[in-house]
Amino acid sequence: KGNKCRDMITKHYPSFFRIPQDWTRVGRVDPTEELELTFALKQQNVHLLEEKLKLVSDPDSAQYGKHLTLEEVASLVHPSELTQKVVRHWLHSHGITNCLTIRTQDFLQCKMTAEVAETLLPGSRFHRYVRDSHSIVRSSAPYSVHDDVHQHLDFVGGLHRLPPKGQDLSKKPQQHKAGLHLGVTPAVLRTRYNLTAADVGSTQNNSQAVAQFLEQYYHPADLAEFMNMFGRTFQHLSQVERVVGTQGAGKAGLEASLDVEYIMSTGANISTWVFTNPGRHESQEPFLQWMVLLSNMSDLPWVHTISYGDDEDSLSTAYMMRINTEFMKAGVRGISLLFASGDSGAGCKHMGKQQNSFRPSFPASSPYVTTVGGTSFKNPFKVTYEVTDYISGGGFSNVFGMPDYQASAVKGYLKTVEATLPPPSYFNTSGRAYPDMAALSDNYWVVSNRVPIPWVSGTSVNYTTRDYNFYQRNVSINRLHRGSNIPHFCSVQGASTPVVGGMLSLINGQRLLKGLPTLGFLNPRLYKLKGQALFDVTEGCHLSCLDEQVQGKGFCAAPSWDPVTGWGTPNYPALLAALLAE
C-alpha cells in the first residue's frame, strides 16, 4: 500500500495546473534550489466549527456574539495526533525537518530542495516562470502522494496556483460642469451614504485591514496627500498603523493606493493594517500565506477587505473547502471578511460548440464571507440614486449549496424574475448566491505616486477583444477590458469593498463602546434585515456570455435581493441603528 499513489489533482481537475499563457517558462529549477511548500493537514470537528459559527452569527441565537479565542479555535479543529504523526513521519523519511507549524497546528510550512520536493510528490516538476519582472517557481505537472498520507492532507500549497495579474487602470477624461461633482471622493461617498463629520472612529480597541496579493504597494506619502486633499472635513488618520509583509520600494500601485485610501477615509480615524505580499519565497502563494497568518495571530483587526478572486472551476474542491474552513475559523473569532464580487459580471465559460455557462468566482462564492458588488450613479456627475455597474460580479456557485440564511431571499428573487431569467443551463439555482450587498465602484479619485488621478477604473475580465468591441457598440463603456484566464484582482469592486468595510468598522466601534461584541460573520444578520437600512438597487443588468441565447446579458437588478447588487448599498445611519440593536 505504501507504494501506491493517488493523484490529488488530475483525477478531478485536469485544468487546475495549467500554466496561463502570459507566464513564460524560463527553465527547470536547479535541483539544489530551496523551495517552501505549505502542507494543509486534515482538521478535526469541522462540522462543529460550522455549527458554532451559525450560533455566534445568528442574532436570534442565545450564543450570538459569543466568539471564540484563537486558542479555543485551535483546541476545536487541530489535527489529530495520528494525522500529525503520519505527515511528520512522511516528511522526515525524505529528510525534511526544517518545518514551522502554526498555533492551530493545521498548516506545516517546510523548506526543502527542489529535488527532494519532486521525490516527495511524485509527478511534480518545478520550473521557473516570469511575467513582467515577477518570477515564480511552480510545478508544470500534477503531483501525487501515497494513499496512507493522502487521507491526512487537504492539499499541498506552492505547486500550482499562480499570483494574480495586475490591473490595467485608466482614467476617463470628462467635461467639467460647474456645480457638479467630478468623480467619487470621500465627500461624495459620505453624502451618498449619509455619513456626517461625526461618523469617525473613537475607540482604541477597534481596527480594520486591507489585504493585497499583487506585487504593488501603497506609499505613505500618497496616503498623507490624499487625506490632505480629501479628508479636511472629518477627523482621520494619515498613517497606517501596521504593515504585515514586505513593502517594496518601487512605484505605488493604483490598486493598493485605492484600497488604503478609501478604507481609511470611510472607516475614518480607525487603526488600519495592511497585509501586503506576504509570500516571502518564489514558491509561496501570497493568498494562502495570508490565510495561514490569520490562524497564527491572536491579535487581528476586526474587519478585512480583500479584492481577489479565481474562477471556481480553476480550483480543486478540496482546496476551496479547506479555504472555507479557514473563513469559518475567522468568523467564529468575531472577524468580518469582505471579498469583492469580481468584475466579470456573471462570467462565461465556453463548454463546447454553442454551449456556454456562467462562471462563478471564488472566494466571492464562499458561503462564509460577505461579498460586495458594485454600482454606479445614474448620473455620473450628480449624487443620484445608484444603478448596477454592468461588470459587477454575481451569480450562483457550482460548488457550494445555498446556505439557509439566504434561501428565502434568493428563492424570492428567482420567483419574481422567473420570466426574464437566463436559461437554467447557465447557472445553478441551488448554489450559494452572491453578492450580499454593494457600494459605488466607479470613477474614484486616487492619489498615487504623489499625483491625484481622477476617474480611476479598471477590470481584468475574461473577455476577448472581439467581445470588447461588441460591448463598445452595444453598451456605454468607460473601461478597458483585457482577456485573462488567471486569478484576477477586482479593481472595480475593489473600490466598493473597502468602502463597505470602513462603514462596518465604524459600526464595530459603536458596538464596542456599548460593550457589545463585534459583528463577526455578518451574513445571517444582514439577511434577517431583509433590505432594511440599505438603498435598494433595482435598475440595470450585468454582462455575461456573448452568444445567441443570452446575448451578453447576465442577471438583472430587482426589488429586494438580487445577484448583481445583493441587498443594495448602505444607508449608514439606518444600518448603524439596525446593527446596534441588541
Side-chain angles (χ1 to χ4, degrees):
K1 181 177 179 180
N3 292 324
K4 289 173 64 182
C5 290
R6 177 180 299 170
D7 193 309
M8 296 176 65
I9 304 300
T10 53
K11 186 173 182 181
H12 302 294
Y13 296 91
S15 65
F16 179 36
F17 56 88
R18 192 174 297 149
I19 302 294
Q21 291 180 346
D22 59 342
W23 287 96
T24 302
R25 187 164 76 182
V26 177
R28 287 274 278 151
V29 170
D30 188 282
T32 63
E33 180 159 340
E34 184 178 79
L35 307 180
E36 181 170 312
L37 301 181
T38 300
F39 299 84
L41 279 66
K42 288 278 187 187
Q43 299 151 313
Q44 298 185 103
N45 302 317
V46 173
H47 63 293
L48 295 179
L49 176 70
E50 183 173 22
E51 285 302 311
K52 187 68 175 178
L53 178 66
K54 289 179 180 178
L55 291 172
V56 301
S57 307
D58 180 357
D60 295 333
S61 162
Q63 292 189 46
Y64 179 70
K66 294 181 179 178
H67 300 125
L68 304 185
T69 64
L70 177 60
E71 289 69 28
E72 289 170 329
V73 172
S75 67
L76 183 65
V77 303
H78 69 83
S80 68
E81 287 189 21
L82 176 62
T83 288
Q84 295 185 61
K85 184 177 180 180
V86 168
V87 173
R88 286 187 178 275
H89 179 267
W90 173 58
L91 295 169
H92 289 169
S93 70
H94 288 81
I96 302 167
T97 57
N98 187 1
C99 295
L100 295 175
T101 189
I102 61 171
R103 293 169 72 167
T104 49
Q105 298 180 300
D106 45 8
F107 285 107
L108 276 175
Q109 295 184 299
C110 301
K111 294 181 179 179
M112 67 203 77
T113 64
E115 183 177 33
V116 169
E118 291 180 0
T119 305
L120 180 76
L121 303 168
S124 62
R125 289 174 59 83
F126 287 91
H127 293 80
R128 176 165 281 103
Y129 297 86
V130 295
R131 182 181 64 200
D132 303 325
S133 59
H134 193 188
S135 171
I136 62 164
V137 171
R138 291 291 188 272
S139 171
S140 58
Y143 66 93
S144 58
V145 299
H146 293 290
D147 274 348
D148 52 359
V149 177
H150 177 271
Q151 61 188 305
H152 298 286
L153 283 177
D154 284 325
F155 64 86
V156 182
L159 281 92
H160 295 125
R161 286 168 292 276
L162 287 102
K165 177 72 172 175
Q167 295 301 305
D168 285 322
L169 296 165
S170 59
K171 58 182 180 180
K172 174 189 174 185
Q174 296 287 339
Q175 296 293 321
H176 287 205
K177 298 186 179 183
L180 305 176
H181 78 77
L182 300 171
V184 174
T185 65
V188 169
L189 291 168
R190 286 178 165 264
T191 299
R192 170 57 186 158
Y193 298 134
N194 294 320
L195 288 95
T196 70
D199 290 316
V200 296
S202 57
T203 180
Q204 293 299 309
N205 57 339
N206 193 19
S207 52
Q208 59 191 1
V210 296
Q212 299 158 347
F213 313 110
L214 278 172
E215 286 292 322
Q216 61 161 257
Y217 317 96
Y218 91 97
H219 280 183
D222 291 339
L223 175 60
E225 179 67 17
F226 179 86
M227 290 300 187
N228 183 53
M229 290 183 66
F230 299 115
R232 294 186 179 186
T233 59
F234 54 89
Q235 190 177 354
H236 61 267
L237 300 175
S238 295
Q239 289 184 323
V240 166
E241 175 76 17
R242 181 174 177 185
V243 174
V244 181
T246 306
Q247 272 277 98
K251 284 186 176 181
L254 276 178
E255 177 76 29
S257 302
L258 185 149
D259 284 352
V260 173
E261 289 164 9
Y262 279 92
I263 197 171
M264 291 187 69
S265 55
T266 309
N269 210 43
I270 295 174
S271 170
T272 303
W273 294 20
V274 174
F275 288 82
T276 177
N277 303 306
R280 303 178 305 277
H281 201 285
E282 284 183 313
S283 61
Q284 288 182 329
E285 301 172 29
F287 176 73
L288 182 58
Q289 287 298 112
W290 172 73
M291 292 260 57
V292 171
L293 277 174
L294 294 191
S295 282
N296 207 32
M297 299 175 74
S298 56
D299 179 25
L300 281 171
W302 295 116
V303 173
H304 296 247
T305 72
I306 307 99
S307 306
Y308 170 85
D310 289 305
D311 293 324
E312 252 188 10
D313 56 65
S314 73
L315 300 169
S316 74
T317 299
Y319 174 81
M320 290 186 285
M321 295 293 283
R322 175 55 185 266
I323 295 300
N324 273 346
T325 303
E326 300 307 305
F327 293 155
M328 286 191 274
K329 284 162 60 180
V332 296
R333 294 171 62 189
I335 295 167
S336 302
L337 299 179
L338 276 65
F339 278 84
S341 69
D343 56 4
S344 306
C348 187
K349 183 177 183 181
H350 303 293
M351 310 284 286
K353 270 193 174 181
Q354 298 180 333
Q355 185 182 359
N356 297 319
S357 70
F358 294 161
R359 196 171 205 174
S361 174
F362 181 82
S365 66
S366 168
Y368 308 107
V369 302
T370 299
T371 304
V372 182
T375 62
S376 302
F377 281 126
K378 176 68 172 178
N379 181 334
F381 296 106
K382 290 184 178 181
V383 181
T384 60
Y385 70 93
E386 293 162 74
V387 298
T388 296
D389 186 338
Y390 71 93
I391 64 170
S392 177
F396 295 76
S397 173
N398 289 322
V399 178
F400 310 112
M402 187 181 299
D404 292 342
Y405 62 74
Q406 69 169 188
S408 174
V410 178
K411 288 174 182 175
Y413 169 82
L414 292 173
K415 185 176 181 180
T416 300
V417 301
E418 184 176 11
T420 57
L421 279 172
S425 61
Y426 278 74
F427 66 102
N428 173 25
T429 55
S430 61
R432 174 347 187 196
Y434 68 97
D436 304 301
M437 58 190 304
L440 285 162
S441 57
D442 209 9
N443 299 330
Y444 276 67
W445 278 85
V446 178
V447 173
S448 191
N449 298 300
R450 304 300 295 272
V451 177
I453 304 172
W455 300 87
V456 169
S457 304
T459 94
S460 181
V461 294
N462 299 330
Y463 286 83
T464 64
T465 302
R466 177 180 59 82
D467 298 338
Y468 166 63
N469 291 336
F470 175 92
Y471 270 100
Q472 200 171 38
R473 290 194 304 270
N474 291 278
V475 184
S476 174
I477 272 190
N478 62 32
R479 286 175 288 273
L480 174 66
H481 290 60
R482 298 185 67 228
S484 171
N485 289 311
I486 62 171
H488 49 272
F489 266 74
C490 321
S491 63
V492 175
Q493 277 58 66
S496 58
T497 311
V499 167
V500 172
M503 281 188 258
L504 294 183
S505 292
L506 291 174
I507 294 169
N508 267 343
Q510 293 300 309
R511 287 181 61 85
L512 292 167
L513 285 173
K514 288 186 66 175
L516 298 172
T518 56
L519 292 167
F521 178 44
L522 180 65
N523 289 10
R525 186 160 189 174
L526 175 68
Y527 279 79
K528 286 191 174 182
L529 292 178
K530 297 184 177 179
Q532 174 194 349
L534 292 108
F535 295 115
D536 197 4
V537 179
T538 61
E539 210 174 292
C541 307
H542 64 185
L543 53 77
S544 72
C545 300
L546 292 165
D547 58 28
E548 289 187 11
Q549 281 196 278
V550 295
Q551 299 182 32
K553 190 172 83 169
F555 299 102
C556 296
S560 194
W561 182 91
D562 61 68
V564 192
T565 62
W567 285 107
T569 62
N571 180 5
Y572 177 74
L575 190 61
L576 172 66
L579 295 179
L580 271 183
E582 296 185 49

